[in-house]
Amino acid sequence: MSAFGGILNFDRGPVDPVRLQRLQRSLEAYGPDGGNAVYAGRVGMTYHALNVTAESRFEYQPHDASTGQLLVWDGRLDNRDDLISQLDLQKPATDLAIVAAAYLKWGTRFPEQLIGDFALGIWDERTQTLILARDPFGVRSLFYHQNKDRIIWSTILNELIDVVDVELTVDDNYIAGFLTRYPEPWQTPYRNFQAVPPGHTLIVKDGEVRSTPFWKPDPHTQLQYKNSDEYAEQFRELLSQSVRGRLRSSAPVFAELSGGLDSSSIVCVADYVRTSDDASLAEVETVSYVYDEAKTSDERSFMQSVELQRGKPGHYINEDEHRFSISAALDQFFSAPSYHFYNLNRFGALRNVMSRYSSSVVMSGEGGDQLNMANPDPDVIIADYLYRFEPVVLHNLLSGWSRELHKPYLQLLRSGAALLLPRSIQARYRKVAKAPSWLDRNFCRRMNISDRMLGPTDPYGFRLPSQSDAAQGLIQAIRTISAIYFQEYSGVNFTFPYLHRPLVEFLLAVPVEEKIRGGVGRVLVRKALRGILPDKVANRRGKKGPTEALSNAIIREWSSVKWMFDEPRVSANGYVDRDELLAAVQRVRHGTEKFSFHLFVTLATEFWLRSLERRPVAAGNLNPELIPPDHQLAPAFAGP
């Protein structure tokens, strides 16, 4: 990912050059391929490049258009050919040139025409309007701070808060979200900082800031193909299209390979499109996280079946050498809590491996579980037939499932019917709504934790419970990606092939029966990739996780972190009952309980609160006379 930022004064006074220079310098580390800063009266922008595609090497940003716009763009366009045709552009055209032409043709609605991962900013001198936009799934980050005098924005939150230089106030709503199922994607941990919502355009004009959605799925779309083969064929084509776009790179692209269906499908489809479509696409290297000590976390046999089919070994990052660490983040400041606190050693190893290939892109399987319904429980199908009131069909299905799954008929019926109840009732009776024992009762009541534990609501208005469930899964994936700030923590460019807009729209409209059959989930993936995935992976059920390795980290590092539980900051802030938290950690230490997701994020919140106390004070104002020549500001719209 490249990095950019900017400043707009509301009072039409000239932009503060010192503040803009400070923003410029702070973003340098994220864009090693050069950068620049320009100003035009009351607006200034800065950009630092991390070139991924061959075309990006010909982009010069901030782009000063002869038609009166300043443009910064960090992204990858996957529908380039369609846009080039619609805009009457000549090939080859850079993504930047396509985006600039799209704005001139479609105005502020132009982001809805763009398919890919992106964040962008445009200042239109003619209309005195600032436009900030972010892709529908929040893959690229974009934050801003607004007061009565100005708006300042940046793709990196850490650098933004340093440049704004105001007192930071923790937002309890964000913390409540993080401690349960992740916060809303427009929230940050601070009350006076926000993120541009995924799939939205932020329009700033005459001192007013207005957020407008440019994408959401059509809740009325329900696909009805002739047979299952047609769904499988379309899925295979759309996933291939998605992976193909991510292989448009001038260096090899890495792919996480866990041995699960999602990561394996991405790797195998990448080989498929390179062989059958275009061998000029970037080569794919796999990276896998393996465990010698934590055997219940190790998936090596499934990874190796993919490697054997490829005829190419992958890169292994062994947890025994690059361990999960509970204490690694204690001496650093990060702008937000994240489960990446535990992965700092792993990320260092990943960067070292990728640097040998001059690679900066990693494909990951996030979104696959949620959109393909990895959970094979038939609750959503039962809820669909109850909603449509088809009792005869439902009775026959329940009878069959009861025999196949060895579950009582009435238990299955109750479980499906529960999805039709109001959330307030679900929050009282469903096990999933039960808050962790260590969360403070007053905090739970004040922040409505039981409702948050149910996960996100469907914001799109789908009617069928199965479609609404898939939409909630999509929102959960968006929340996850938006909350963990990949660029700031990892230093590499993560991308998610399952979050390709046409593929997402397709999966939200596919009948649930094409995804779940009996006790088997992800039926569509298995069918569509028959002959592409190794049989061992295609036929597997369930998957392992890192819980044993994380539990080992607690045991191994207890002497280094136990002092934190004397006066935990999560308790001082009213989020957690200290004794209950300590008891939960002790259960993990003594092997009577595994490291749970909620304990995972609670400790991450503790580390972050402590790092916030140690946050270094932002450097004082830079003296313009001491700024090196390559950091001097250039005037925009000044002509040659």
Side-chain angles (χ1 to χ4, degrees), residues 86-265:
Q86 291 182 65
L87 297 167
D88 294 324
L89 297 176
Q90 297 294 318
K91 293 183 178 181
T94 66
D95 286 2
L96 179 68
I98 296 170
V99 172
Y103 172 70
L104 292 178
K105 181 176 179 67
W106 292 298
T108 58
R109 296 185 60 85
F110 79 104
E112 66 188 58
Q113 305 294 329
L114 312 179
I115 296 177
D117 306 339
F118 64 85
L120 63 87
I122 293 180
W123 168 251
D124 193 325
E125 182 76 6
R126 304 167 307 171
T127 62
Q128 297 287 292
T129 302
L130 172 69
I131 300 162
L132 303 175
R134 188 178 178 198
D135 67 75
F137 312 116
V139 178
R140 302 296 168 101
S141 54
L142 186 53
F143 306 98
Y144 67 97
H145 172 272
Q146 170 196 355
N147 61 23
K148 63 181 180 61
D149 298 318
R150 66 180 68 88
I151 182 172
I152 306 179
W153 64 95
S154 172
T155 51
I156 308 296
L157 181 60
N158 198 358
E159 314 310 332
L160 178 63
I161 61 179
D162 272 353
V163 170
V164 171
D165 201 14
V166 297
E167 183 178 354
L168 298 178
T169 304
V170 175
D171 185 347
D172 285 355
N173 269 300
Y174 183 96
I175 300 302
F178 186 76
L179 290 174
T180 52
R181 296 294 181 93
Y182 288 125
E184 298 290 359
W186 55 84
Q187 294 176 327
T188 79
Y190 314 103
R191 290 182 189 171
N192 43 3
F193 291 81
Q194 291 180 278
V196 175
H200 280 64
T201 303
L202 206 71
I203 299 175
V204 185
K205 185 175 177 64
D206 297 329
E208 295 184 0
V209 180
R210 177 167 52 92
S211 179
T212 304
F214 65 79
W215 177 86
K216 63 177 182 179
D218 182 354
H220 304 294
T221 299
Q222 295 181 39
L223 297 178
Q224 295 294 331
Y225 291 175
K226 291 180 181 179
N227 53 54
S228 294
D229 290 340
E230 291 190 0
Y231 291 106
E233 182 180 346
Q234 181 68 352
F235 174 87
R236 185 171 54 252
E237 172 55 33
L238 289 173
L239 183 58
S240 298
Q241 182 186 103
S242 175
V243 171
R244 189 182 300 117
R246 285 158 175 79
L247 297 184
R248 188 168 64 92
S249 172
S250 55
V253 170
F254 273 67
E256 291 184 322
L257 177 61
S258 69
L261 269 173
D262 298 327
S263 67
S264 300
S265 64

Side-chain angles (χ1 to χ4, degrees), residues 521-542:
R522 291 190 280 206
V523 171
L524 180 59
V525 180
R526 301 175 200 273
K527 183 178 181 63
L529 302 185
R530 188 178 297 148
I532 295 176
L533 280 171
D535 290 342
K536 182 172 183 175
V537 174
N539 296 327
R540 72 173 299 184
R541 303 288 186 269

Side-chain angles (χ1 to χ4, degrees), residues 181-348:
R181 296 294 181 93
Y182 288 125
E184 298 290 359
W186 55 84
Q187 294 176 327
T188 79
Y190 314 103
R191 290 182 189 171
N192 43 3
F193 291 81
Q194 291 180 278
V196 175
H200 280 64
T201 303
L202 206 71
I203 299 175
V204 185
K205 185 175 177 64
D206 297 329
E208 295 184 0
V209 180
R210 177 167 52 92
S211 179
T212 304
F214 65 79
W215 177 86
K216 63 177 182 179
D218 182 354
H220 304 294
T221 299
Q222 295 181 39
L223 297 178
Q224 295 294 331
Y225 291 175
K226 291 180 181 179
N227 53 54
S228 294
D229 290 340
E230 291 190 0
Y231 291 106
E233 182 180 346
Q234 181 68 352
F235 174 87
R236 185 171 54 252
E237 172 55 33
L238 289 173
L239 183 58
S240 298
Q241 182 186 103
S242 175
V243 171
R244 189 182 300 117
R246 285 158 175 79
L247 297 184
R248 188 168 64 92
S249 172
S250 55
V253 170
F254 273 67
E256 291 184 322
L257 177 61
S258 69
L261 269 173
D262 298 327
S263 67
S264 300
S265 64
I266 290 168
V267 173
C268 293
V269 166
D271 290 341
Y272 170 76
V273 298
R274 290 190 76 250
T275 301
S276 59
D277 282 9
D278 189 350
S280 69
L281 295 171
E283 293 186 5
V284 176
E285 297 287 332
T286 64
V287 59
S288 301
Y289 311 114
V290 298
Y291 308 83
D292 288 332
E293 180 181 299
K295 295 296 185 183
T296 62
S297 298
D298 197 74
E299 298 262 48
R300 222 168 311 199
S301 67
F302 293 102
M303 302 168 190
Q304 289 170 346
S305 69
V306 175
E307 294 169 352
L308 182 64
Q309 176 175 291
R310 305 187 76 215
K312 183 177 184 179
H315 302 273
Y316 285 5
I317 295 177
N318 196 311
E319 205 274 333
D320 296 354
E321 299 172 8
H322 306 282
R323 291 189 180 277
F324 282 122
S325 176
I326 303 299
S327 58
L330 287 176
D331 60 350
Q332 302 182 57
F333 171 72
F334 294 97
S335 62
S338 172
Y339 65 62
H340 283 336
F341 281 155
Y342 309 99
N343 291 338
L344 297 181
N345 295 332
R346 175 184 288 183
F347 278 134

Side-chain angles (χ1 to χ4, degrees), residues 375-384 411-412 415-417 419 430 465 516:
N375 179 6
D377 288 341
D379 296 357
V380 291
I381 301 181
I382 295 169
D384 275 4
Q411 178 184 329
L412 290 170
S415 184
L419 298 180
R430 290 185 66 194
I516 303 172

